Amino acid sequence: MKRWECIVCGWIYDEAEGAPDEGIPPGTAWADVPDDFLCPDCGVGKDEFEMVELDQ
C-alpha cells in the first residue's frame, strides 16, 4: 500500500484507508481511483498528486 500527496494542499490519499467520504473504499490502489477524482480539500485532479514514502 502506498500514499499519495496532493502537491497543492498536502492532502494525503492512503491506499490502505481509501477515501470513504469520496466513495473510494479502503484498499483501493491509486491506479484504480477514477481518473476524474478531485482532491477533497482543494479540488485539483489526480495529476497533481505524488507518491510519498511511508515511514517504516
Side-chain angles (χ1 to χ4, degrees):
M1 298 275 102
K2 297 176 180 150
R3 292 176 20 181
W4 297 82
E5 181 176 5
C6 176
I7 61 173
V8 175
C9 74
W11 185 82
I12 300 286
Y13 175 76
D14 186 325
E15 292 179 338
E17 296 177 9
D21 291 343
E22 310 306 317
I24 302 169
T28 302
W30 183 245
D32 296 329
V33 171
D35 290 336
D36 62 353
F37 174 79
L38 299 176
C39 176
D41 281 356
C42 72
V44 298
K46 277 183 74 173
D47 58 335
E48 299 294 331
F49 282 75
E50 292 181 349
M51 188 176 62
V52 293
E53 295 294 324
L54 294 174
D55 296 329
Q56 297 296 339

